[in-house]
Amino acid sequence: MPTPLPTAPSDDAVRDIPRDPLLPAGGRQRRPTADSDAKRERILQAAQALFHAQGYAQTTMAQIVGALGVTKPFVYYYFRNKQEIFEALSWRPTVACFTVLDFAASDPRPAHEKVQDGLQRLIRATIAHYPAAFFPYREPQCYRPEYLEQSRWLANHFYQQLCALLEEGRASGHFDFHETRITAQAACSLPGFLYQWYRPDGRLDAEAMEQELTRLAMRVIGLRVDAPGH
């Protein structure tokens, strides 16, 4: 999922992980309930299938309503328009992927173990959120500037953490690479480029794909199996 996003908002613009678009913001809903969450999820899943099959531009609210077999007010109660649905679908994998390195401050593991764990979780999240995880790659022009600003903040949050851990792991002798930022981006391009070729019904199942891509990512960052304590 992660892709290089070089410009982050200022500290005054965003001071914490941005607001989750899945929280009621549009339509007429004000307070989520267990029943409303289930209905929102039903709408999201129907829309996801349509966006995946025919793209954002070709998908209409009328088609989403038709796929659900409901009336228009049912959908508009939860979402103002299809863009809000599209962004809600995209936000979950964005957060899931860009927060994989948010380890507790008390986590005692060394940097190289955190990097391995984080990159594997990143790959797992990208696969688990198929196909919505790939919407930002396929149709980046479909998002509001406000949404893109939030995504950039999370991307920079992620890469700052990853680069710091990579440099710490190199200093301890566990990683062998030259350019920190390039190495971070190259390792993350492995799950990022899944959108071009990944199919859930392919030869490798999700778990096998996760393991294979994790091994490749470890090669990219130059994990040294002969390092002390590995």
Side-chain angles (χ1 to χ4, degrees):
M1 176 73 183
T3 187
L5 295 167
T7 304
S10 67
D11 290 341
D12 291 335
V14 183
R15 295 186 180 276
D16 203 349
I17 290 180
R19 180 189 181 280
D20 186 345
L22 286 176
L23 295 175
R28 293 181 290 113
Q29 185 191 18
R30 291 297 174 265
R31 295 183 179 180
T33 65
D35 182 58
S36 69
D37 286 346
K39 291 176 180 177
R40 286 172 61 82
E41 187 62 29
R42 183 183 169 199
I43 295 169
L44 290 169
Q45 292 304 311
Q48 177 177 247
L50 289 168
F51 288 136
H52 177 55
Q54 58 192 35
Y56 178 84
Q58 300 303 316
T59 298
T60 66
M61 286 292 275
Q63 290 176 331
I64 295 172
V65 169
L68 288 163
V70 299
T71 62
K72 287 185 178 180
F74 178 92
V75 177
Y76 282 106
Y77 181 78
Y78 300 102
F79 298 98
R80 281 186 294 249
N81 49 49
K82 72 171 184 178
Q83 185 174 48
E84 192 171 83
I85 298 175
F86 192 71
E87 290 181 351
L89 283 165
S90 302
W91 187 248
R92 285 191 290 195
T94 296
V95 172
C97 289
F98 285 142
T99 59
V100 294
L101 297 176
D102 288 357
F103 300 114
S106 58
D107 191 328
R109 292 177 297 171
H112 70 282
E113 291 185 9
K114 290 180 179 178
V115 170
Q116 292 179 77
D117 181 25
L119 289 180
Q120 183 164 7
R121 290 170 58 203
L122 166 65
I123 293 165
R124 184 184 306 139
T126 303
I127 294 171
H129 285 279
Y130 173 90
F134 304 143
F135 290 167
Y137 295 98
R138 291 175 50 183
E139 303 184 273
Q141 76 283 359
C142 297
Y143 300 94
R144 294 172 298 119
E146 297 85 354
Y147 181 93
L148 293 175
E149 182 181 55
Q150 293 177 330
S151 297
R152 289 189 185 101
W153 188 94
L154 280 175
N156 280 273
H157 167 74
F158 168 83
Y159 276 112
Q160 287 171 4
Q161 292 174 306
L162 179 56
C163 288
L165 288 170
L166 285 174
E167 291 177 355
E168 187 177 340
R170 178 172 60 181
S172 68
H174 289 87
F175 298 145
D176 181 15
F177 61 85
H178 296 286
E179 295 291 336
T180 305
R181 182 77 181 193
I182 292 174
T183 299
Q185 292 171 338
C188 293
S189 70
L190 291 169
F193 280 106
L194 281 172
Y195 85 97
Q196 292 187 326
W197 53 268
Y198 177 70
R199 298 292 181 273
D201 57 353
R203 183 173 59 85
L204 299 181
D205 62 20
E207 184 176 356
M209 182 67 71
E210 174 191 325
Q211 295 297 325
E212 183 63 22
L213 290 179
T214 299
R215 283 192 290 269
L216 291 172
M218 293 306 101
R219 292 182 183 179
V220 171
I221 64 177
L223 178 65
R224 295 181 56 190
V225 296
D226 60 339
H230 177 72

